[in-house]
Amino acid sequence: LNADVADGAIHTEILTSDGRKLEGYTKEESKVIRGDDLRHPVGWKTNRISDLPAGTYWLRIYLENDATVYALTLEKGEQNGRP
């Protein structure tokens, strides 16, 4: 996630294709994103995107204060040494 979160925070959650929150992937379970970086990792406290079964999902991004998102890149495969 390319974002500037110098004075705020970003939280994320994954929703099913019909808009329902997924347990383990809610805003409350997401890792807080802060700082200015071109490649913020998006994640949750106990789950990974790769744990989800194949399907269609929505990613909801919550911006607090002056947080700004510039781009989102989804990559398949290993990230930070984890599949």
Side-chain angles (χ1 to χ4, degrees):
L1 184 68
N2 177 352
D4 182 358
V5 199
D7 295 322
I10 294 177
H11 297 270
T12 57
E13 68 184 0
I14 295 181
L15 309 171
T16 62
S17 60
D18 59 351
R20 295 184 187 148
K21 294 180 182 183
L22 284 173
E23 185 175 334
Y25 298 92
T26 64
K27 174 185 176 184
E28 294 75 24
E29 296 163 300
S30 72
K31 294 181 180 176
V32 179
I33 298 171
R34 297 186 194 279
D36 185 8
D37 200 324
L38 297 173
R39 294 180 60 106
H40 285 289
V42 173
W44 293 266
K45 295 173 184 168
T46 58
N47 295 315
R48 298 179 295 186
I49 290 178
S50 61
D51 297 332
L52 291 169
T56 302
Y57 300 94
W58 291 87
L59 178 68
R60 181 178 286 161
I61 301 172
Y62 293 91
L63 307 176
E64 296 177 8
N65 297 330
D66 291 329
T68 302
V69 171
Y70 297 105
L72 171 67
T73 303
L74 300 176
E75 296 177 347
K76 184 176 181 179
E78 214 171 282
Q79 285 292 307
N80 299 323
R82 293 171 54 175

